[in-house]
Amino acid sequence: MHEFLELDRQLFIFLNNLGSPEYDHFWKLITNKWIWVPFYGILLFILTKSFKLKSLFFIIIFVAVGITITDQLAGIFKELIKRLRPCHDPSLVGLMRPNIECGGTFGFYSAHASSSFFLATFLAILLKNRFGYFPYFLFIWACVVSYSRIYLGVHYPFDVGMGALVGFLLGGLFATLAKKTIYKN
């Protein structure tokens, strides 16, 4: 396990140091949940054009519950695992790019990655037959949001990978449940 964590640490140092001050503001915007409100509005518009009102209601409920669960699970794991965020790890001082905003003490696993991959998976499954390449765009978006967490020094790659996996699995589960609910009514 020690070798795996050291590999994760080295990969973090490499990925984090790919950044430069010219792009810091861009990645801070990417990681900000509020910057995506117009994008969420577009997603809602697409859903309103794709589903009847009753189905849309259920979809919104499933998204709200799913995002809440992914976020709360991440908080539980952070407290159980207690893995320091890179920006709180004293052994990384001087090895990573400086970060002004670090967040909570612990970082395993990334709630940003989990929520992004949940939404991407959920919507990709529901919309895959209606919008061709759109699901690929959703996963690219989730990857960009997830990478922002490494760039900014608040998560290790394994934190992000585990968050993405949890979000992907829960997104698939919730999409299956949503499809059963939508097509039953």
Side-chain angles (χ1 to χ4, degrees):
M1 184 63 149
H2 175 71
E3 293 84 15
F4 176 78
L5 292 176
E6 182 56 30
L7 179 64
D8 191 34
R9 184 177 183 273
Q10 292 303 317
L11 183 58
F12 165 77
I13 292 168
F14 172 75
L15 293 172
N16 176 260
N17 280 291
L18 290 176
S20 65
E22 298 86 41
Y23 297 107
D24 288 354
H25 185 69
F26 169 77
W27 288 103
K28 285 179 182 179
L29 282 175
I30 293 295
T31 206
N32 185 325
K33 293 175 185 177
W34 295 108
I35 197 73
W36 294 106
V37 169
F39 176 65
Y40 301 144
I42 292 168
L43 294 177
L44 184 59
F45 176 76
I46 290 170
L47 288 170
T48 60
K49 294 296 181 187
S50 302
F51 295 97
K52 294 178 182 172
L53 187 59
K54 187 174 182 182
S55 296
L56 181 63
F57 173 76
F58 285 115
I59 289 169
I60 292 170
I61 295 295
F62 276 105
V63 167
V65 171
I67 297 280
T68 301
I69 289 173
T70 62
D71 190 57
Q72 294 304 306
L73 273 176
I76 290 168
F77 271 85
K78 286 174 185 171
E79 289 303 314
L80 286 174
I81 304 296
K82 295 188 185 289
R83 184 180 190 197
L84 289 177
R85 289 180 185 266
C87 51
H88 286 304
D89 187 344
S91 72
L92 289 174
V93 173
L95 298 175
M96 63 179 276
R97 301 178 63 251
N99 181 355
I100 298 169
E101 302 166 23
C102 189
T105 306
F106 305 118
F108 182 81
Y109 62 84
S110 170
H112 274 75
S114 188
S115 297
S116 299
F117 272 89
F118 171 85
L119 190 59
T121 305
F122 182 84
L123 293 178
I125 290 170
L126 289 183
L127 298 171
K128 71 180 176 185
N129 295 331
R130 300 170 194 253
F131 290 100
Y133 293 105
F134 188 66
Y136 299 109
F137 171 76
L138 291 170
F139 283 107
I140 291 168
W141 165 76
C143 288
V144 168
V145 169
S146 297
Y147 173 72
S148 75
R149 308 305 287 161
I150 298 167
Y151 181 97
L152 295 171
V154 295
H155 284 293
Y156 289 100
F158 185 60
D159 301 346
V160 168
M162 184 56 77
L165 178 63
V166 170
F168 178 79
L169 293 174
L170 287 174
L173 173 67
F174 274 64
T176 302
L177 294 173
K179 285 171 70 173
K180 286 183 180 184
T181 303
I182 290 167
Y183 298 120
K184 181 179 180 181
N185 291 311

